[in-house]
Amino acid sequence: IDSDTGTPKTPLPYYYLIDNLLADHRTKEAEHYLEIVRTLPACRPFLIPVYRAYIALAEYDAPKADTIMEEALATFADDPGFLFETAQYHARKCEYEKAIAYYEQSWALEEAQKPRFTDALDGIATIYEILGDTAKAVETVDRKIACLKDEWGYKDGDAVVLEAEAQKNRLLK
């Protein structure tokens, strides 16, 4: 928090605020706070167009939102964070095949940044579950378990592995 103004010096609180404003379709206020985020040193530039697209969706302008994301892809196509957010965008729009493709691209690009976070795999497994493709959901959870063990060094019996195995067992029932 800035001692002079009392405002946050990091983007995270603003993202939470913007998310809540968008849920209420208060897009002008969301735009205002997004402009503040742009000025912060810890701002991740690829999130600006992502939030602009979400603002367009909150204004019921899906074509504009899609255009924003397509244009941003030209700039951030090699950024796994942007690809993950693009997957999230398409998942939100129930464009599941596109979402899976972007989650996979994000996951593949993170190969060089091991250990990888498993968020993309969680997104893929969730979509396959929504689509009723239990076999692919289980396969994806198996990939997650392998990542946790091979890249993160977790062992059988560790809480995070047990949680993933419980997810797999739930899917198999």
Side-chain angles (χ1 to χ4, degrees), residues 47-121:
L47 286 174
I48 301 303
V50 171
Y51 271 102
R52 288 203 188 292
Y54 285 134
I55 288 169
L57 286 179
E59 293 174 340
Y60 305 102
D61 193 345
K64 178 179 177 183
D66 289 344
T67 298
I68 291 167
M69 292 301 290
E70 288 168 16
E71 289 173 355
L73 190 58
T75 303
F76 300 109
D78 294 330
D79 188 314
F82 176 76
L83 294 172
F84 178 83
E85 293 298 333
T86 302
Q88 296 282 87
Y89 170 82
H90 288 291
R92 182 178 287 188
K93 291 180 64 191
C94 301
E95 297 173 347
Y96 295 132
E97 296 303 322
K98 282 184 180 181
I100 289 170
Y102 283 112
Y103 282 132
E104 290 289 3
Q105 288 178 39
S106 173
W107 178 254
L109 275 178
E110 288 183 343
E111 177 73 25
Q113 302 171 3
K114 289 183 179 179
R116 294 175 281 185
F117 291 105
T118 59
D119 299 53
L121 296 178

Side-chain angles (χ1 to χ4, degrees), residues 2-18:
D2 186 297
S3 59
D4 295 329
T5 64
T7 58
K9 294 194 292 187
T10 181
L12 191 58
Y14 289 107
Y15 295 140
Y16 292 138
L17 175 60
I18 293 167

Side-chain angles (χ1 to χ4, degrees), residues 4 7 11 30 37-38 49 66 74 84 86 90 98 109 126 128 135 147 158 160 163 168 173:
D4 295 329
T7 58
V37 168
R38 282 177 83 91
D66 289 344
F84 178 83
T86 302
H90 288 291
K98 282 184 180 181
L109 275 178
T126 298
Y128 280 134
C147 174
D158 287 341
V160 68
E163 183 180 312
K168 177 180 175 178
K173 289 184 179 178

Side-chain angles (χ1 to χ4, degrees), residues 107 116-123 125-126 137-152 154 159-165 167-168:
W107 178 254
R116 294 175 281 185
F117 291 105
T118 59
D119 299 53
L121 296 178
D122 288 330
T126 298
V138 168
E139 176 185 308
T140 306
V141 174
D142 281 339
R143 291 170 60 196
K144 176 182 176 176
I145 292 168
C147 174
L148 293 170
K149 290 179 178 180
D150 299 342
E151 295 182 25
W152 289 93
Y154 287 105
V160 68
V161 174
L162 291 173
E163 183 180 312
E165 288 172 348
Q167 178 186 12
K168 177 180 175 178

